[in-house]
Amino acid sequence: MASLLDRLRSGWAAFLPDHVPVAFKLGLTICALIVTCMALVGVVILNQQSALLRSQMDDFGQAMVMQLAESSKELVLADDSLALNALITNLAGSEAVLGAAVFDRDGERLAHSGMIPEAEKDQKGSFSDTEATAYRGEIRFQDITLGSAMVTLSRSAQQIGTRTTTQAIILTTVFMSVLGGAAAFIMGQRLSRPVHRLVEATRAIGDGDYRYRLPDGRRDEIGHLMSAFNRMAQGLLEKSQVEGALSRYVSAGVAREIMSNLDRVSLGGRQVEASVMFADIAGFTRLSETMDPDQVARLLNEYFTHISHIARQHQGSIDKFMGDGVMVVFGVTDEDPDHRFHAIASGVMLQHLVSRLNRVREEGGQEAVRFRVGINSGPMMAGNMGAEDRMQYTVVGDAVNLASRLMTAAEPGQVLIHQALFDDPDIRWRVRGQPYRSIAIRGKSQPVATCQVHDLSDLYQEAMERQIERLLCRERIT
């Protein structure tokens, strides 16, 4: 039974429109309410009208019978049939009277004219059908019953009155329904106009247009709702602007995490398995001595912009800029199962891009820029580090320190990684490199074995070159 009802509901729902305007719903509801009220009022009026007409007809019928009985009393005593017939004929000649008759005490007709119900000739009282009503009264003389008189009245006047009243009620109902429905539709449109604006505004906010505003000026609940919406949109705009500005100082992932936990920003962190890349310009001090401060700033901004784009393409994020160096993390703010390879691919792509840029610089008579890159992977602590009133989201740990030392040990143009990372089965087949040398690390009893990565495997080289070309094209366009 339940499944049958569900099928009926779903079948009925298939014929319903997806959207029904509020104005149409309001107009239809008011029309239905008017029709219902008018129908109830009409029923009451018709019942009262019918009762009043019946009462008036009964009074008139009883009066006619009493008059006929009084007029025919002496004629019945005198047995004057001719006079009785004349009296009956004159009485039945009116429009309202369909017939009249006089009966003796045995019920035999002494005189009659017009419509007389035969089934009632031996009964007292009145008789009714759909067309006429017969009224009967006794003919008495000094407490002696001489017979009875009967008058049959037409019900056409009552039916015409009822029909006229019904038509008036129907016309009034139709007029009131049309008028009320039109007024309700117009009113519904006026009431739903701000609702439509609110719907458009929510769609605009959903599409990221936080500058969308609703007009003010209404002094009702909808006006309060519009004002609240405008305040909410302003708050979202300010939050978006803060997040956009914050993402220029920290990575987008860090910005999202901070903005989503504004009430829980505190010192502390969590342990993650991630990768980190350090890169700096070899011989930057000497290079900067031959350049103006503005030229130095433009040079750093140019290369840091390229590094930021490279990191973003490999799901990494800038942790911090340190003078002429940069620290990039992978798999920290956003989960990345392939963070080891992405870190190495970023370092290799950076060296290839710098090599392309150096050819342009040398053609223009400028000195080449060389980067040193150190990469490592392992467990590290990620979170807010510093003081309660001044903190920074970063990563710390032995794996991070080793990456920094690898960069320091690298030669200009080199990408240096830990031997264990190079020997990872998931990494070895995707990169081209060779063992480099072991370096002594302060705090470690044994030197750390390193490897130099020259390039990516053939499977990834073509994609990397396309990415570099897009970066250079973007630079030429801007």
Side-chain angles (χ1 to χ4, degrees), residues 273-276 314 330-332 336-344 377-378 427:
E273 182 74 21
S275 298
V276 60
H314 292 88
F330 301 83
V332 176
D336 180 14
D338 208 16
H339 58 84
R340 297 175 180 83
F341 175 71
H342 286 153
I344 298 174
S377 180
I427 299 297

Side-chain angles (χ1 to χ4, degrees), residues 2-300:
S3 60
L4 178 60
L5 291 176
D6 293 338
R7 287 197 297 269
L8 290 175
R9 290 193 192 99
S10 61
W12 173 252
F15 293 98
L16 296 177
D18 295 332
H19 174 71
V20 180
V22 175
F24 178 79
K25 291 181 180 179
L26 185 60
L28 185 62
T29 301
I30 292 182
C31 282
L33 184 61
I34 290 175
V35 170
T36 302
C37 293
M38 292 299 295
L40 293 176
V41 172
V43 170
V44 174
I45 292 176
L46 283 175
N47 288 335
Q48 292 180 346
Q49 180 79 3
S50 298
L52 179 61
L53 290 175
R54 283 196 301 268
S55 176
Q56 291 176 348
M57 187 174 181
D58 290 341
D59 292 342
F60 180 70
Q62 293 297 333
M64 291 292 294
V65 167
M66 291 176 61
Q67 182 181 1
L68 178 60
E70 187 65 26
S71 299
S72 62
K73 176 171 56 176
E74 296 179 357
L75 298 178
V76 172
L77 288 173
D79 196 18
D80 190 349
S81 300
L82 182 61
L84 279 174
N85 283 319
L87 176 64
I88 295 298
T89 301
N90 291 333
L91 183 62
S94 63
E95 183 178 354
V97 180
L98 297 179
V102 175
F103 302 91
D104 61 15
R105 76 174 99 189
D106 296 327
E108 296 295 333
R109 281 186 294 187
L110 300 177
H112 76 281
S113 177
M115 178 180 175
I116 297 297
E118 294 293 335
E120 294 292 318
K121 69 179 182 177
D122 296 328
Q123 299 180 15
K124 296 180 181 181
S126 62
F127 167 83
S128 294
D129 62 11
T130 58
E131 299 295 335
T133 300
Y135 297 91
R136 193 164 191 164
E138 293 182 342
I139 302 174
R140 300 179 65 81
F141 178 75
Q142 297 181 352
D143 298 331
I144 300 175
T145 301
L146 302 178
S148 61
M150 177 177 288
V151 176
T152 304
L153 301 181
S154 172
R155 297 186 62 182
S156 60
Q158 180 183 357
Q159 293 172 350
I160 291 172
T162 302
R163 187 161 50 248
T164 302
T165 303
T166 302
Q167 292 174 351
I169 291 174
I170 292 175
L171 290 175
T172 303
T173 301
V174 172
F175 175 76
M176 291 295 295
S177 299
V178 172
L179 183 63
F185 183 79
I186 295 172
M187 182 175 62
Q189 282 188 322
R190 292 181 61 86
L191 291 176
S192 62
R193 191 175 299 130
V195 177
H196 292 320
R197 290 177 178 172
L198 282 169
V199 172
E200 293 175 359
T202 54
R203 289 175 180 169
I205 293 296
D207 294 336
D209 183 10
Y210 300 133
R211 298 185 182 276
Y212 193 98
R213 294 294 182 273
L214 292 170
D216 293 326
R218 294 183 65 100
R219 300 180 180 271
D220 53 13
E221 291 80 358
I222 296 179
H224 295 322
L225 181 60
M226 288 182 170
S227 298
F229 177 88
N230 289 337
R231 290 193 298 271
M232 179 198 71
Q234 181 63 29
L236 290 174
L237 176 62
E238 292 174 357
K239 182 179 179 181
S240 175
Q241 291 172 339
V242 170
E243 185 174 353
L246 185 62
S247 63
R248 294 177 179 270
Y249 293 91
V250 298
S251 67
V254 174
R256 287 195 304 270
E257 186 168 339
I258 292 175
M259 294 301 294
S260 61
N261 299 279
L262 289 175
D263 56 339
R264 295 193 300 272
V265 176
S266 59
L267 294 174
R270 58 188 176 88
Q271 184 169 325
V272 295
E273 182 74 21
S275 298
V276 60
M277 178 185 79
F278 284 89
D280 73 347
I281 299 176
F284 177 75
T285 302
R286 179 186 54 79
L287 182 64
S288 61
E289 291 175 350
T290 63
M291 303 170 63
D292 294 334
D294 290 343
Q295 293 176 322
V296 173
R298 284 196 298 271
L299 176 69
L300 291 177

Side-chain angles (χ1 to χ4, degrees), residues 343-466:
I344 298 174
S346 296
V348 173
M349 184 175 175
L350 172 61
Q351 297 293 19
H352 278 258
L353 176 63
V354 170
S355 178
R356 293 274 295 269
L357 293 175
N358 281 336
R359 289 199 293 268
V360 177
R361 290 179 63 85
E362 291 170 351
E363 291 175 359
Q366 296 176 304
E367 185 177 352
V369 176
R370 307 289 182 185
F371 270 83
R372 301 179 301 174
V373 177
I375 298 170
N376 192 32
S377 180
M380 56 191 71
M381 185 66 68
N384 295 318
M385 308 296 172
E388 288 289 347
D389 58 344
R390 181 69 174 180
M391 60 186 68
Q392 179 182 11
Y393 192 94
T394 186
V395 291
V396 295
D398 185 65
V400 179
N401 296 334
L402 180 56
S404 178
R405 293 299 303 275
L406 289 172
M407 180 200 69
T408 305
E411 298 293 332
Q414 277 189 336
V415 176
L416 211 59
I417 68 174
H418 189 236
Q419 177 72 46
L421 180 58
F422 183 74
D423 292 337
D424 188 330
D426 191 45
I427 299 297
R428 186 66 177 266
W429 66 274
R430 293 195 277 184
V431 301
R432 292 179 179 177
Q434 64 184 19
Y436 183 57
R437 62 183 175 87
S438 297
I439 59 175
I441 302 296
R442 187 172 58 184
K444 292 184 178 295
S445 58
Q446 298 294 329
V448 176
T450 64
C451 287
Q452 178 184 358
V453 178
H454 302 293
D455 208 338
L456 301 181
S457 64
D458 296 340
L459 183 63
Y460 298 97
Q461 283 187 9
E462 184 178 352
M464 181 181 66
E465 292 298 329
R466 286 199 302 268

